[in-house]
């Protein structure tokens, strides 16, 4: 429906981040996403934790990224199975990984934890659920609570810097 993409685009504007869209090798139709139909593709996939739909997006290297936001819709109270496939195929190294999901009513639940376990790499923190009508201000407040940003001027050139949230950074920010 584009809800997760909209939140991701807002996060990218706030942080100056790159965007990468995870797509299915076989795109989901409206009928595939009909959660009220027990024979729909999403119902069948979500009822089998071993299912791993193929990813259609080009592979991505996460080398050089220190902070990674990963977003997805909530399906049946969980991350879609394609997200499990995606994180299993990535090396998050030591990056801070920040999950977020979109749902009209169901929270993030264990989905971030599930993705962290399946990924086996990265420093995953607790994520957040956004409703489709989340405001830019709500998104910005959350982003700023999980990532510290600064812009340094070096010889007149502005350089954006994302800092981890730790005691050293807090001391530096207080100077």
């Amino acid at each position: 429906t584009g809800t997760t993409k909209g939140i991701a685009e807002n996060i990218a504007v706030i942080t100056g981040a790159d965007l990468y869209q995870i797509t299915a090798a076989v795109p989901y139709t409206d009928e595939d996403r009909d959660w009220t139909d027990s024979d729909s593709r999403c119902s069948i996939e979500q009822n089998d934790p071993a299912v791993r739909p193929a990813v259609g997006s080009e592979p991505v290297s996460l080398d050089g990224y220190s902070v990674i936001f990963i977003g997805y819709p909530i399906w049946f109270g969980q991350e879609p199975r394609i997200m499990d496939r995606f994180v299993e195929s990535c090396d998050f190294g030591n990056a801070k990984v920040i999950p977020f999901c979109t749902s009209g009513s169901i929270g993030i639940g264990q989905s971030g934890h599930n993705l962290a376990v399946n990924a086996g790499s990265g420093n995953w923190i607790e994520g957040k659920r956004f409703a489709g009508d989340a405001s830019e201000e709500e998104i910005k407040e959350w982003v700023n609570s999980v990532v510290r940003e600064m812009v340094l001027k070096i010889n007149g050139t502005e350089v954006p810097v994302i800092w981890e949230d730790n005691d050293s950074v807090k001391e530096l920010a207080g100077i």
Side-chain angles (χ1 to χ4, degrees):
T1 61
T3 305
T4 305
K5 182 179 180 183
I7 302 292
E9 288 170 345
N10 271 303
I11 291 170
V13 167
I14 293 163
T15 62
D18 297 326
L19 283 173
Y20 173 81
Q21 185 172 0
I22 301 161
T23 60
V26 177
Y28 289 89
T29 65
D30 289 341
E31 292 79 21
D32 290 337
R33 290 189 303 264
D34 182 1
W35 58 272
T36 64
D37 178 359
S38 62
D39 292 325
S40 72
R41 180 174 164 197
C42 74
S43 296
I44 293 167
E45 289 176 0
Q46 291 305 109
N47 285 322
D48 183 352
V51 167
R52 296 293 187 268
V55 174
S57 312
E58 290 295 319
V60 62
S61 171
L62 301 176
D63 291 345
Y65 290 95
S66 60
V67 177
I68 300 167
F69 287 88
I70 186 163
Y72 49 92
I74 287 291
W75 285 3
F76 297 77
Q78 306 167 45
E79 72 283 1
R81 299 290 176 230
I82 193 169
M83 296 303 297
D84 295 326
R85 165 70 66 102
F86 175 75
V87 300
E88 289 168 348
S89 71
C90 291
D91 180 359
F92 292 93
N94 289 321
K96 181 179 194 176
V97 185
I98 308 167
F100 68 93
C101 69
T102 55
S103 170
S105 61
I106 298 174
I108 196 164
Q110 290 294 306
S111 64
H113 172 77
N114 296 344
L115 291 171
V117 168
N118 287 330
S121 62
N123 296 308
W124 292 70
I125 68 168
E126 187 173 335
K128 178 173 175 66
R129 176 197 69 90
F130 289 98
D133 62 353
S135 69
E136 288 181 33
E137 186 59 33
E138 177 186 357
I139 297 166
K140 186 174 186 175
E141 279 183 29
W142 175 71
V143 167
N144 289 336
S145 76
V146 295
V147 177
R148 292 180 145 297
E149 292 183 71
M150 281 186 189
V151 176
L152 297 178
K153 269 196 175 173
I154 302 172
N155 296 328
T157 303
E158 289 189 358
V159 180
V161 178
I162 297 177
W163 298 78
E164 296 288 328
D165 187 13
N166 60 44
D167 291 338
S168 297
V169 171
K170 288 176 185 170
E171 282 187 41
L172 181 62
I175 295 176

